[in-house]
């Protein structure tokens, strides 16, 4: 078993020129392809780094638990644990280790997720080794800055703690316990400075006097006399060895809560009582403040716990959407083959059959087969990941193709679509699929609001050229958006829906896509009177765009990747 483990992980020796000097950084390279991890490690070693290799996530976690590393370079897609799962555990269990993610897919959402989990950087294959070397150097520099910042914060915390200790020490000195000694006759024999401050009598005024008459309220006088009588005989009493909560009396007549701890000592054959009196006024106040703080803290913990559970539910829903995209892709591929066969054979029969009635039925079969193939193509496009690509595109075509995709479901839900599209609307340079994603998200949000409110309604979509920009409006006659939520609707993970019914990412994605296209999106709503989302995009002519960009033909109906 040991030899098998060594075949999956080995420490790469340092080059000869580094044997006499310390490595710049200790780096763990994790990739299921041996050629990739070997190539990366050789380059990093040439840069002066010490490299260790791991072929999967499980081995990587085991390695970081037994060795110290400055940085981990991990592939995202690996058998067993994924790179994101490795990242999550390292961030929690080894926060001093920086992580750089490597992926063969330029997936913006995955990159964002990796950075949110705590990755230092995100590198896409294929990459130049020089570029990777630079990214590694920057990641190591970032780690140094993070650790230095952590040290600064630790020093600040230590200074704050030291200040707190000084404050506490000052309070402690100001409220030192009063130490009082009595002889067997109840006369005061010792009275310290704290007692002077606590009760208001100087030592000269109180020593040799009956104590109870000066510092005890009248209700304690009889009990005090009985206790002292018993104490004079054998040095004992009901209060000896106990801590009692009593009421003290200051010189000015004010009463205050105290704790009295009473013990006895025999001096030159005579019993003496030693009382330690503590003014607990401040402690009682502190206890009340502590209880208030505890209640506040419990409320804060409950609030943060609820927010965390909500965020976890939203992330789970996002993962479910990604899984649905993969499922749609597989099912669509399986359906496409028999549909293609049906289409081809009906076309052959159309050339051979002479009967007009049979021909008409074959034409119906062929048309329905073509319609099914188009639906499958849309599903495949829905599930497929696409790199963003700008081309001269029609906003109207993007809207109509998106509406066609949702038309059937909207009809079932008694929701009408009203289109008011400017036929002379100019095209612009844009990513056709990303525009579809924006419109699909807005239509879906409006649909959900209408279904929840009254199970029917109308979504009105309009376009027009105004003030040199393309203006798009998506309005519904639903319940509207609460005023308290209007300023937050475009925040990531913010949603007014129940956990599991919304990720809080749809409008945030719309906002990001529109901004990337140089436009802006805003919402207008009055609670109870529907909501209108307004998008304004710049008009960019085809000549102004990149000549090598492929134009999306008018009438095409690719569907954006919502699972990515």
């Amino acid at each position: 078993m040991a030899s098998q483990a060594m075949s999956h992980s080995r420490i790469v020796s340092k080059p000869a020129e580094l044997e006499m000097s310390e490595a710049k950084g200790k780096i763990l390279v994790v990739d299921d392809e041996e050629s990739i991890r070997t190539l990366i490690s050789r380059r990093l070693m040439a840069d002066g780094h010490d490299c260790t290799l791991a072929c999967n996530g499980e081995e990587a976690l085991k390695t970081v638990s037994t060795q110290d590393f400055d940085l981990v370079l991990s592939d995202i897609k690996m058998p067993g644990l994924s790179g994101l799962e490795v990242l999550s555990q390292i961030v929690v269990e080894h926060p001093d280790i920086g992580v750089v993610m490597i992926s063969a897919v330029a997936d913006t959402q995955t990159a964002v997720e990796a950075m949110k989990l705590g990755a230092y950087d995100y590198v896409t294959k294929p990459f130049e080794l020089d570029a990777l070397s630079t990214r590694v150097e920057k990641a190591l520099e970032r780690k140094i800055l993070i650790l230095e910042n952590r040290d600064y914060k630790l020093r600040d915390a230590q200074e704050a703690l030291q200040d707190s200790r000084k404050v506490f020490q000052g309070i402690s000195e100001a409220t030192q316990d009063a130490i009082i000694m009595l002889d067997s006759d109840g006369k005061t024999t010792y009275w310290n400075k704290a007692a002077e401050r606590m009760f208001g009598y100087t030592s000269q005024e109180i020593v040799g006097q009956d104590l109870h008459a000066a510092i005890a309220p009248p209700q304690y006088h009889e009990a005090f006399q009985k206790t002292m009588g018993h104490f004079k005989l054998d040095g004992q009493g009901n209060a000896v060895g106990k801590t009692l909560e009593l009421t003290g009396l200051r010189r000015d007549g004010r009463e205050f809560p105290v704790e009295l701890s009473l013990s006895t000592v025999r001096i030159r054959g005579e019993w003496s009582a030693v009382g330690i009196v503590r003014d607990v006024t401040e402690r009682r106040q502190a206890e009340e403040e502590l209880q208030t703080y505890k209640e506040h803290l419990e409320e804060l913990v409950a609030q943060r716990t609820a927010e965390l559970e909500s965020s976890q539910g939203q992330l789970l829903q996002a993962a479910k959407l990604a899984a649905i995209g993969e499922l749609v892709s597989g099912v669509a591929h399986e359906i496409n083959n028999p549909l293609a066969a049906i289409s081809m054979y009906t076309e052959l029969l159309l050339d051979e059959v002479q009967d007009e009635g049979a021909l008409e039925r074959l034409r119906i079969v062929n048309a329905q087969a073509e319609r099914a193939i188009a639906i499958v193509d849309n599903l495949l496009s829905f599930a497929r990941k696409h790199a963003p690509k700008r081309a001269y595109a029609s906003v109207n075509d993007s809207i109509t193709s998106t509406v066609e995709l949702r038309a059937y479901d909207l009809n079932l839900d008694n929701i009408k679509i009203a289109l008011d599209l400017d036929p002379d609307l100019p095209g612009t340079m844009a990513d056709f699929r990303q525009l579809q994603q924006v419109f699909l998200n807005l239509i879906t949000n409006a649909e959900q609001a209408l279904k929840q409110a009254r199970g029917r309604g109308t979504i009105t979509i309009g376009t027009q050229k105004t003030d040199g920009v393309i203006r798009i409006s998506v309005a519904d006659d639903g319940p509207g958006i609460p005023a308290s939520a209007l300023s937050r609707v475009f925040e990531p993970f913010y949603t007014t829906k129940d956990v599991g019914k919304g990720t809080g990412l749809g409008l945030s994605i719309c906002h990001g896509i529109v901004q990337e296209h140089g436009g802006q999106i805003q919402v207008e709503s009055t609670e109870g009177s529907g909501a209108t989302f307004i998008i304004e995009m710049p008009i960019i002519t085809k000549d102004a765009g990149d000549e090598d960009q492929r134009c999306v033909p008018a009438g095409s109906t690719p569907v954006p990747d919502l699972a990515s």
Side-chain angles (χ1 to χ4, degrees), residues 481-487 527:
I481 301 173
S484 59
L486 274 176
S487 62
E527 193 168 0

Side-chain angles (χ1 to χ4, degrees), residues 83-252:
L84 292 181
E85 291 173 318
V86 172
L87 168 63
S88 299
Q89 291 197 38
I90 289 178
V91 168
V92 173
E93 299 174 8
H94 308 281
D96 290 340
I97 300 178
V99 182
V100 174
M101 305 307 299
I102 301 175
S103 174
V105 180
D107 186 339
T108 302
Q109 183 169 344
T110 304
V112 171
E113 183 179 356
M115 301 306 286
K116 286 182 177 180
L117 288 174
Y120 281 18
D121 204 348
Y122 185 93
V123 182
T124 303
K125 300 177 185 176
F127 47 77
E128 295 182 358
L129 290 177
D130 288 343
L132 177 64
S133 176
T134 300
R135 302 283 277 273
V136 168
E137 293 294 341
K138 289 183 177 179
L140 289 173
E141 291 173 1
R142 180 183 176 191
K143 176 187 175 177
I144 292 173
L145 291 175
I146 291 173
L147 293 179
E148 288 178 349
N149 187 46
R150 188 180 302 167
D151 290 340
Y152 290 143
K153 289 181 178 179
L154 179 59
R155 284 195 290 271
D156 289 343
Q158 289 173 338
E159 290 176 1
L161 178 60
Q162 185 64 25
D163 292 341
S164 298
R165 287 176 175 171
K166 290 179 180 178
V167 172
F168 175 78
Q169 182 179 359
I171 295 174
S172 177
E173 290 175 355
T175 59
Q176 293 180 30
D177 297 341
I179 300 175
I180 304 168
M181 294 184 66
L182 307 176
D183 61 17
S184 57
D185 294 324
K187 304 293 184 181
T188 305
T189 58
Y190 180 77
W191 184 262
N192 71 346
K193 292 293 184 181
E196 291 182 353
R197 294 192 298 270
M198 188 178 296
F199 292 99
Y201 296 96
T202 65
S203 176
Q204 292 78 7
E205 289 175 315
I206 205 73
V207 169
Q209 303 297 319
D210 288 335
L211 182 66
H212 69 283
I215 67 171
Q219 64 264 31
Y220 296 127
H221 291 181
E222 183 178 353
F224 179 81
Q225 291 292 353
K226 291 182 178 178
T227 298
M228 291 307 300
H230 187 61
F231 170 74
K232 188 173 182 177
L233 294 175
D234 54 15
Q236 298 299 316
N238 294 333
V240 174
K242 298 179 181 178
T243 299
L244 306 176
E245 292 188 2
L246 305 172
T247 300
L249 183 65
R250 303 188 196 277
R251 183 172 186 168
D252 59 9

